[in-house]
Amino acid sequence: MMTIDLNCDMGESFGVYKLGYDEEAMPYVTSINVACGFHASDPINMLKTVRLAKKYDVAVGAHPSFPDLVGFGRRVMAASIEEIKADVMYQIGALWAFCKAEGVKLQHVKPHGALYNVAEKDVTTAVAIAEAIKAVDPDLYMVCLGNSAMVEAAKKVGVKYVEEAFADRAYTSQGTLVPRKQAGAVIHDVNAVADRVLSMVKNKTVTAIDGTVVPISAQTICVHGDTPGAVEMIKAIRAKLEQENIILKAFGR
């Protein structure tokens, strides 16, 4: 039987500001990436998110970023390699504490935003992230963009990893994500997205923005839970996969 993990970024509310549809989306995903306070969230929201994941038996991962709360972690920062390693270790540790307190196993680490975008192209940055993960807990998985420098880094450092594809993001013919600033970078048609995910899982391909069919290997699919209609899209993706007898489960289980 084919299996696939659906991962979703969560816990991105901050103080009195609510972001995302965590409660509504949680029952339909199998893993979540929890903001660790550097691009979003705060201690109480991290704790609430871990408790929510425990309630729905969803696997938990850390979602570290550049220290860019104002820019939501989407701005590249001139951080040294040592700073990146320390920042990632710090954020993993913060979430680990809440997981430990709630009796939840931490499954993985997935970089957020600009840190992810830099790491997918720059192997030095990716190695720093992989080394930080291994230093904290060698049993943690590193979530990597498929066919990227992140995969190379995970292999080089010797950390467990899974390759990731994005449900609603357009791809280039080189297999990289189309930048968000470019028209058509995000796909909003629910049926189109569900069909794309099915192709990613069954055929191991994705159709690029120029029509090229690109090979893709993914053990986890990223779905977004913070945009209007996101929950309906996640439900449609799950229903499409289940219709094809594809088992949805966290990759670390």
Side-chain angles (χ1 to χ4, degrees), residues 7-12 19-22 25 29 31-35 39 49 63 72 74 110-113 164 166 180 222-226:
N7 80 76
C8 188
D9 300 347
M10 291 196 180
E12 293 180 324
L19 180 66
Y21 302 92
D22 291 10
V29 299
S31 295
I32 61 168
N33 319 302
V34 183
H39 77 276
T49 306
H63 202 31
F72 198 68
R74 288 183 174 160
K110 173 183 168 180
H112 165 82
E164 173 181 50
F166 285 75
R180 281 184 175 271
C222 179
V223 294
H224 290 112
D226 60 351

Side-chain angles (χ1 to χ4, degrees), residues 187-203:
I187 302 161
H188 300 284
D189 185 297
V190 172
N191 293 325
V193 170
D195 287 339
R196 279 165 58 86
V197 172
L198 183 61
S199 179
M200 290 173 179
V201 177
K202 288 192 72 174
N203 305 324

Side-chain angles (χ1 to χ4, degrees), residues 137-237:
D137 184 353
D139 285 333
L140 292 171
Y141 286 84
M142 178 173 172
V143 176
C144 309
L145 181 67
N147 304 317
S148 73
M150 298 168 78
V151 175
E152 181 185 343
K155 290 178 179 177
K156 182 176 181 179
V157 174
V159 295
K160 295 191 290 187
Y161 70 94
V162 290
E163 294 185 63
E164 173 181 50
F166 285 75
D168 63 351
R169 291 291 302 277
Y171 279 77
T172 68
S173 57
Q174 287 76 44
T176 58
L177 298 178
V178 172
R180 281 184 175 271
K181 293 178 180 178
Q182 187 174 325
V186 180
I187 302 161
H188 300 284
D189 185 297
V190 172
N191 293 325
V193 170
D195 287 339
R196 279 165 58 86
V197 172
L198 183 61
S199 179
M200 290 173 179
V201 177
K202 288 192 72 174
N203 305 324
K204 300 189 181 303
T205 61
V206 64
T207 301
I209 197 166
D210 65 355
T212 307
V213 176
V214 181
I216 196 165
S217 175
Q219 296 79 52
T220 183
I221 306 291
C222 179
V223 294
H224 290 112
D226 60 351
T227 53
V231 178
E232 288 70 24
M233 185 174 286
I234 295 169
K235 287 181 181 179
I237 291 168

Side-chain angles (χ1 to χ4, degrees), residues 1-7 29-31 57 59 107 219-221 238 241-242 246-253:
M1 298 290 286
M2 298 183 75
T3 65
I4 194 69
D5 173 64
L6 292 183
N7 80 76
V29 299
T30 49
S31 295
D57 193 28
Q107 173 185 254
Q219 296 79 52
T220 183
I221 306 291
R238 184 170 186 123
L241 294 171
E242 289 177 338
I246 295 166
I247 297 170
L248 286 92
K249 60 176 284 190
F251 51 79
R253 295 182 176 176

Side-chain angles (χ1 to χ4, degrees), residues 10-14 32-47 49-50 60-67 69 72 87-99 106 108-112:
M10 291 196 180
E12 293 180 324
S13 296
F14 179 73
I32 61 168
N33 319 302
V34 183
C36 301
F38 272 36
H39 77 276
S41 200
D42 53 38
I44 192 65
N45 274 300
M46 291 170 70
L47 178 58
T49 306
V50 170
V60 175
H63 202 31
S65 78
F66 284 122
L69 198 56
F72 198 68
D87 285 351
V88 171
M89 292 171 69
Y90 181 95
Q91 291 173 83
I92 295 170
L95 185 63
W96 177 88
F98 292 117
C99 288
L106 191 62
H108 67 274
V109 178
K110 173 183 168 180
H112 165 82

